[in-house]
């Protein structure tokens, strides 16, 4: 570990294999908490690379018993957090719209870190179980087109990192890799980052991790979601190539709203917002979800254009299929409530 720390302290990058060795050492309890803190700090000060992200993510995913490849064409949509916008649960609500359009969504998330209400908080408030077994997650994906994977539950090997991160109380590489560590094998992904300079780094990491298609977005106003407030900056990963572009909501027929108009609150309030959106009640919340779900459907490849993705998202809500996905996931959770681990 000392050799790798000295390399980082001198501003040199670690290779994928070196990062894997470091991560495995951390998880095996063969190094001290001080060394883990030094590692996380050095990576943050130097700036993490796509290879370092890839190595850490591959180790984390390999340690999860939820690592599965039995379901095809699965995607995830998630932001890194950290934008401090106070918005409602955009990606979580959008996940039901994407699922309602026929795409299996393995939604990976956690409780609140930088927002008032995390994905786990709002789903728990809605009645969705956070503690399904691996078999139940797969069954839910088959039956409901959606399942939720609660990060601390599916990554219980990360405790050595968790304590140090909490003690540090500072941004680390984990603030970037959260959406990448979904243990389910994903074909595609839609990720939001709150810093524009992280767009290409995350996109390159997605390519390293084997995503067939993906979109990374930095929303107007520095959001880690696509925003209706102005120009969004995006990178599309397709066929191993990265393409940068921008998108204004008016280009796909959506209105402009300020980010202040999509504020969220506590889990109960955000649960009510999610239900209202899935019921199709007109609002800035609804149009924001339509934009993000449309981008997700385009990232997956179900839609051949963002405009078509937006139309498919509208239809998913209008037809009641998006709401049905939420209802079925809640019912599924109640069915297995006595069997959780």
């Amino acid at each position: 570990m000392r050799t790798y720390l000295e390399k980082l302290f001198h501003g040199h990058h670690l290779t994928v294999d070196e990062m894997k060795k470091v991560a495995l050492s951390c998880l095996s309890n063969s190094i001290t908490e001080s060394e883990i803190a030094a590692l996380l700090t050095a990576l943050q000060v130097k700036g993490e690379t796509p290879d370092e992200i890839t190595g850490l993510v591959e180790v984390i995913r390999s340690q999860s018993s939820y690592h599965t490849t039995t379901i095809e064409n699965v995607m995830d949509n998630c932001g890194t957090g950290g934008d401090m916008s106070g918005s409602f649960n955009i990606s979580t609500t959008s996940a039901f719209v994407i699922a309602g359009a026929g795409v299996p969504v393995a939604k990976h998330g956690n409780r609140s870190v930088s927002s008032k209400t995390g994905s786990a908080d709002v789903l728990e408030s809605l009645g969705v179980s956070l503690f399904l077994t691996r078999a139940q997650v797969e069954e839910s994906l088959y039956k409901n087109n959606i399942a939720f994977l609660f990060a601390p539950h599916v990554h219980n090997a990360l405790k050595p990192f968790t304590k140090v991160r909490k003690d540090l109380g500072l941004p680390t590489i984990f603030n970037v890799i959260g959406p990448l560590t979904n243990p389910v094998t994903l074909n595609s992904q839609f990720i939001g980052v709150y810093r524009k300079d992280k767009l290409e780094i995350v996109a390159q990491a997605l390519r390293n991790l084997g995503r067939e298609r993906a979109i990374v977005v930095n929303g107007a106003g520095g959001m880690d979601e696509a925003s209706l407030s102005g120009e969004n900056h995006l990178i599309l990963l397709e066929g191993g190539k990265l393409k940068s572009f921008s998108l204004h909501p008016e280009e796909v027929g959506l209105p402009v709203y300020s980010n202040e108009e999509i504020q969220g609150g506590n889990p109960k309030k955000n649960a009510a917002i999610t239900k209202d959106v899935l019921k199709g009640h007109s609002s800035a919340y609804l149009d924001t979800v339509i934009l993000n779900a449309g981008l997700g459907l385009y990232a997956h490849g179900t839609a051949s254009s963002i405009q078509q993705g937006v139309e498919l998202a509208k239809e998913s809500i209008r037809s009641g299929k998006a709401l049905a996905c939420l209802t079925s996931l809640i019912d599924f959770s109640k069915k297995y409530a006595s069997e959780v681990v």
Side-chain angles (χ1 to χ4, degrees):
M1 175 61 76
R2 178 177 290 275
T3 299
Y4 298 130
L5 286 176
E6 289 181 349
K7 189 173 181 179
L8 292 170
F9 289 161
H10 287 90
H12 301 302
H13 305 312
L14 301 184
T15 66
V16 172
D17 287 340
E18 287 174 335
M19 193 67 206
K20 284 183 177 181
K21 291 176 183 178
V22 170
L24 286 170
S25 295
C26 293
L27 296 179
S28 66
N29 295 315
S30 63
I31 62 174
T32 66
E33 290 183 357
S34 295
E35 287 175 308
I36 295 177
L39 169 68
L40 296 180
T41 303
L43 285 167
Q44 176 68 16
V45 172
K46 177 185 69 66
E48 63 280 338
T49 66
D51 282 351
E52 289 163 348
I53 291 172
T54 301
L56 181 56
V57 167
E58 288 184 346
V59 167
I60 291 173
R61 293 186 68 250
S62 72
Q63 299 295 304
S64 175
S65 62
Y66 284 70
H67 188 67
T68 173
T69 58
T70 61
I71 303 171
E72 298 180 351
N73 296 319
V74 180
M75 79 168 296
D76 189 9
N77 68 316
C78 185
T80 58
D83 63 10
M84 307 302 290
S85 67
S87 62
F88 76 109
N89 298 94
I90 298 170
S91 63
T92 303
T93 308
S94 300
F96 292 104
V97 180
I98 295 169
V103 176
V105 180
K107 187 75 179 76
H108 182 250
N110 208 335
R111 295 197 184 278
S112 173
V113 177
S114 58
S115 60
K116 295 178 182 178
T117 301
S119 56
D121 300 312
V122 71
L123 288 172
E124 189 174 53
S125 182
L126 286 163
V128 174
S129 174
L130 308 184
F131 304 102
L132 296 178
T133 65
R134 170 181 164 172
Q136 290 164 358
V137 165
E138 292 198 25
E139 183 182 351
S140 185
L141 282 170
Y142 277 121
K143 291 183 176 179
N144 309 315
N145 253 3
I146 192 167
F148 182 68
L149 294 98
F150 182 39
H153 181 62
V154 301
H155 295 301
N156 52 25
L158 289 181
K159 290 179 181 177
F161 282 115
T162 303
K163 184 180 185 305
V164 173
R165 289 182 65 204
K166 184 176 181 181
D167 290 343
L168 282 175
L170 298 169
T172 69
I173 191 172
F174 280 87
N175 293 79
V176 177
I177 68 170
L180 302 173
T181 59
N182 192 324
V184 174
T185 299
L186 304 174
N187 296 85
S188 57
Q189 199 157 0
F190 177 46
I191 293 182
V193 295
Y194 72 99
R195 283 174 50 181
K196 187 180 176 183
D197 62 337
K198 298 294 184 185
L199 278 170
E200 188 162 348
I201 292 171
V202 172
Q204 289 178 6
L206 285 165
R207 179 169 58 189
N208 291 349
L209 292 165
R211 301 292 188 271
E212 295 177 10
R213 282 179 63 91
I215 289 178
V216 188
V217 62
N218 173 240
M223 289 191 67
D224 69 331
E225 313 275 1
S227 167
L228 295 173
S229 69
E231 187 174 57
N232 299 276
H233 300 278
L234 309 96
I235 293 181
L236 169 67
L237 166 63
E238 182 179 29
K241 297 181 179 180
L242 303 181
K243 177 184 178 183
S244 298
F245 66 103
S246 61
L247 177 72
H248 192 283
E250 291 178 336
E251 295 177 49
V252 288
L254 292 172
V256 173
Y257 289 99
S258 71
N259 289 337
E260 286 69 31
E261 294 177 84
I262 55 170
Q263 291 290 296
N266 60 30
K268 184 177 180 180
K269 177 178 179 179
N270 284 17
I273 292 172
T274 292
K275 287 181 179 178
D276 283 345
V277 168
L278 298 183
K279 290 176 182 177
H281 296 169
S282 297
S283 66
Y285 300 115
L286 173 65
D287 289 326
T288 298
V289 166
I290 288 171
L291 176 60
N292 281 272
L295 281 164
L297 290 166
Y298 178 57
H300 181 265
T302 293
S304 59
S305 66
I306 298 172
Q307 184 66 66
Q308 185 184 29
V310 165
E311 298 308 317
L312 290 174
K314 290 179 180 178
E315 179 57 26
S316 175
I317 296 170
R318 184 166 48 239
S319 66
K321 291 180 180 178
L323 181 61
C325 284
L326 171 60
T327 302
S328 63
L329 185 58
I330 294 170
D331 291 343
F332 186 85
S333 295
K334 291 177 181 177
K335 176 183 176 182
Y336 286 112
S338 62
E339 300 179 26
V340 298
V341 295

